[in-house]
Amino acid sequence: AQTVVGTPYYLSPELCMGKKYSSKSDIWSLGVMLYVLINNKMPFEASNYAALILRIVQAEHAKQKMTYAPILHKLATWCMQKNDGSRPSARQILELPECQEAARRLGLALPQDLKVAVAPPQQAAKQQQQKWKPSGGAAAAAATVKKRAAFNGNPAVPVRVSAPDRV
């Protein structure tokens, strides 16, 4: 594909350089979205369009706050690799044990031909022993969604958070 549409902050490096792009550009945008949700700011900021494009192409994103589960930070970084060949595919993301567990908890169907993620035995035993304790994380996440909706001029959408604030 060769068209360019979208918010400049979410443009992948290959789009910024006028190169052909693939679904990996969408994965980049997913990484930007995760980064914003985790850090409450854009990974690349600039005062004008040209400076923003240069930062996306040349600079590294700002260090992330380690507020949420490490897998979210790793996923955001993995998705925002400058080289599109180093980014995961949607299938690779869905094959992550954490993503499959989240889909299971939410009752979401995954493709039947997807590899079934199996946690190592010691990790599975540890996960069964851990019990989720309510913290400010879920409430903070809901407040952030409400604040972002208000900021964008949209009415706040009620969010029901019933799972831990980690994937």
Side-chain angles (χ1 to χ4, degrees):
Q2 295 182 4
T3 58
V4 177
V5 176
T7 306
Y9 287 103
Y10 295 85
L11 292 177
S12 65
E14 56 272 20
L15 280 170
C16 292
M17 293 186 291
K19 294 181 178 178
K20 290 190 176 194
Y21 59 91
S22 67
S23 61
K24 297 290 184 104
S25 287
D26 295 328
I27 297 297
W28 170 275
S29 299
L30 172 64
V32 172
M33 183 189 69
L34 285 170
Y35 183 96
V36 171
L37 289 170
I38 293 167
N39 299 285
N40 203 25
K41 68 177 186 173
M42 299 305 293
F44 304 98
E45 294 180 345
S47 60
N48 62 60
Y49 185 77
L52 177 62
I53 297 303
L54 274 174
R55 288 204 175 130
I56 291 171
V57 171
Q58 296 177 351
E60 291 301 316
H61 60 76
K63 188 165 174 61
Q64 299 182 55
K65 295 182 220 171
M66 295 305 286
T67 308
Y68 298 98
I71 186 64
L72 292 175
H73 300 280
K74 289 177 187 175
L75 186 56
T77 299
W78 191 21
C79 290
M80 288 195 303
Q81 295 295 305
K82 300 283 186 190
N83 177 352
D84 61 344
S86 298
R87 290 180 216 140
S89 65
R91 177 169 290 281
Q92 287 174 303
I93 293 170
L94 290 175
E95 288 175 347
L96 292 171
E98 296 86 353
C99 288
Q100 290 188 14
E101 174 60 22
R104 185 194 60 74
R105 283 195 321 251
L106 294 170
L108 301 175
L110 293 172
Q112 291 183 357
D113 63 338
L114 196 66
K115 290 181 189 172
V116 177
V118 179
Q122 67 275 20
Q123 185 180 355
K126 185 178 178 183
Q127 288 174 347
Q128 289 176 352
Q129 292 172 354
Q130 292 177 338
K131 292 189 177 179
W132 178 66
K133 295 179 183 170
S135 67
T144 299
V145 169
K146 186 174 182 180
K147 182 170 86 173
R148 285 187 191 283
F151 176 77
N152 291 329
N154 299 325
V157 177
V159 176
R160 181 173 173 256
V161 179
S162 61
D165 58 347
R166 56 190 165 122
V167 177

